[in-house]
């Protein structure tokens, strides 16, 4: 049986002391332990930002790529080696902004990937500019007279586009967040898990603001009811639901693309042969 320490490494953290990213990191480790997932069988792909540094602090396979480009890399990895557990870890700016185009097609394509999005509603790495999920009217160093555009509702967007697994967690609710991540990884298909993550340096909402607003979806809630899922995803203001909002079982990429399935499986002899050409 694996332990939390099996996923630790000696990389020094660049996060602010007290950052709620640490809670998400612990939830990810807990979920791997619950799943008994071996480090060598896990790949985490990330982009650019504070959230995409999370894989740096884990003992497993990691690919840190371009801003907003985690999903196409992760899709390729999963396509050629479907036995791997593949995740992406990004922030709201990286995933919903720069990576928005890839997200739309992941909803359609349905690769077997679990995406964790640290949603602190700002670009924290670059000092707190508005992101796609920043509330209207919020003032920042760049939006000094307040954000004018309506914020993106990623859960509602995912549900409308029939994403196969849609959930929301909270960085301060470690055990419940771990359960959601476990369910997302166990789900066959694309799993979007939006995680509320207060930024202690540039965020405009902190933990105490969320304390009385966040609640778990009711035990009798039915995640297969699309209409109810949209209604819950649209709740804002005084109450913020967390849990698994929507499940929609559908064909998974590349299994639904028969030609790709035939050619995508990796042949190690071919790879070794190609590598020898460059020796």
């Amino acid at each position: 049986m694996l332990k939390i320490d099996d996923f630790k490494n000696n990389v020094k953290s660049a996060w602010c002391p007290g950052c709620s990213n640490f809670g998400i990191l612990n939830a990810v480790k807990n979920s791997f332990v619950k799943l008994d997932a071996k480090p060598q069988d896990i790949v985490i792909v990330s982009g650019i930002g504070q959230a995409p540094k999370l894989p740096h602090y884990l003992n497993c396979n990691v690919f840190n790529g371009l801003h907003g480009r985690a999903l196409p890399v992760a899709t390729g990895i999963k396509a050629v080696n479907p036995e791997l557990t593949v995740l992406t870890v990004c922030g709201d700016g990286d995933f919903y902004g720069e990576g928005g185009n890839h997200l739309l097609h992941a909803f359609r394509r349905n690769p077997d990937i679990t995406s964790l999005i640290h949603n602190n509603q700002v670009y924290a790495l670059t000092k707190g500019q508005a992101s796609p999920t920043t509330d209207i009217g919020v003032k920042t160093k760049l939006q000094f007279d307040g954000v004018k555009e309506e914020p993106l509702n990623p859960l509602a967007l995912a549900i409308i586009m029939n994403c196969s697994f849609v959930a929301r967690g909270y960085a301060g609710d470690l055990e419940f967040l771990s359960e959601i991540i476990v369910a997302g990884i166990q789900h066959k298909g694309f799993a979007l898990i939006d995680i509320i993550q207060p930024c202690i340096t540039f965020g405009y909402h902190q933990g105490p603001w969320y304390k009385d607003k966040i609640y778990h979806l009711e035990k009798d809630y039915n995640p297969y009811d699309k209409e109810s899922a949209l209604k819950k995803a649209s709740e804002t203001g005084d109450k913020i639901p967390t849990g698994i909002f929507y499940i929609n079982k559908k064909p998974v990429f590349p299994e639904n693309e028969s030609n790709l399935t035939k050619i995508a499986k990796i042949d190690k002899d071919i790879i070794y042969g190609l590598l020898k050409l460059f020796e």
Side-chain angles (χ1 to χ4, degrees), residues 161-225:
M161 290 202 63
N162 292 319
C163 176
S164 63
F165 183 99
V166 183
R168 177 195 282 145
Y170 175 51
D173 191 0
L174 194 152
E175 187 57 36
F176 190 58
L177 177 58
S178 299
E179 293 175 11
I180 293 173
I181 295 172
V182 167
I185 292 173
Q186 289 177 326
H187 174 79
K188 184 75 171 174
F190 183 61
L192 181 140
I193 303 177
D194 185 85
I195 304 171
I196 296 170
Q197 181 252 316
C199 174
I200 61 171
T201 303
F202 300 107
Y204 53 96
H205 292 316
Q206 299 299 330
W209 188 88
Y210 291 107
K211 185 179 176 184
D212 297 323
K213 295 180 173 60
I214 286 179
Y215 73 96
H216 297 171
L217 290 170
E218 297 80 5
K219 289 185 178 178
D220 61 352
Y221 175 79
N222 178 13
Y224 295 92
D225 183 337

Side-chain angles (χ1 to χ4, degrees), residues 92 95-97 103-104 107 117 119 121 131-136 149-163 166-168 192-196 227-237 239-241 245-246:
D92 47 295
F95 207 74
Y96 300 141
L103 178 62
L104 296 179
F107 291 151
I117 301 95
N119 188 353
Q121 300 181 282
S131 82
T133 56
T134 304
D135 291 322
I136 195 165
E149 300 89 1
E150 291 280 350
L152 174 73
N153 183 331
L155 300 189
L157 175 66
I159 295 164
I160 287 170
M161 290 202 63
N162 292 319
C163 176
V166 183
R168 177 195 282 145
L192 181 140
I193 303 177
D194 185 85
I195 304 171
I196 296 170
E227 186 176 342
S228 295
L230 264 178
K231 188 176 179 181
K232 282 293 181 184
S234 301
E235 282 189 15
T236 57
K239 292 295 180 184
I240 304 173
F245 286 65
Y246 185 56

Side-chain angles (χ1 to χ4, degrees), residues 119-139:
N119 188 353
N120 56 20
Q121 300 181 282
V122 293
Y123 281 91
L125 183 68
T126 45
K127 314 302 182 190
Q129 300 98 323
S131 82
T133 56
T134 304
D135 291 322
I136 195 165
V138 170
K139 295 181 180 180

Side-chain angles (χ1 to χ4, degrees), residues 41-152:
D41 295 333
I42 300 168
V43 181
I44 306 183
V45 184
S46 62
I48 299 297
Q50 293 290 4
K53 292 176 182 173
L54 183 145
H56 301 184
Y57 313 134
L58 279 170
N59 174 36
C60 63
N61 301 295
V62 171
F63 186 97
N64 196 180
L66 300 174
H67 210 354
R69 305 295 181 252
L71 270 176
V73 176
T75 301
I77 292 170
K78 186 69 181 182
V80 298
N81 198 335
E83 302 306 317
L84 292 172
T85 296
V86 181
L87 297 90
T88 67
V89 178
C90 301
D92 47 295
D94 186 45
F95 207 74
Y96 300 141
E98 280 80 1
N101 180 43
H102 298 298
L103 178 62
L104 296 179
H105 297 291
F107 291 151
R108 297 173 53 236
R109 195 167 285 138
N110 198 32
D112 189 17
I113 293 168
T114 303
S115 287
L116 310 181
I117 301 95
H118 301 211
N119 188 353
N120 56 20
Q121 300 181 282
V122 293
Y123 281 91
L125 183 68
T126 45
K127 314 302 182 190
Q129 300 98 323
S131 82
T133 56
T134 304
D135 291 322
I136 195 165
V138 170
K139 295 181 180 180
T140 77
K141 292 176 182 175
L142 280 182
Q143 292 79 22
F144 47 84
D145 57 348
V147 172
K148 306 297 184 188
E149 300 89 1
E150 291 280 350
L152 174 73

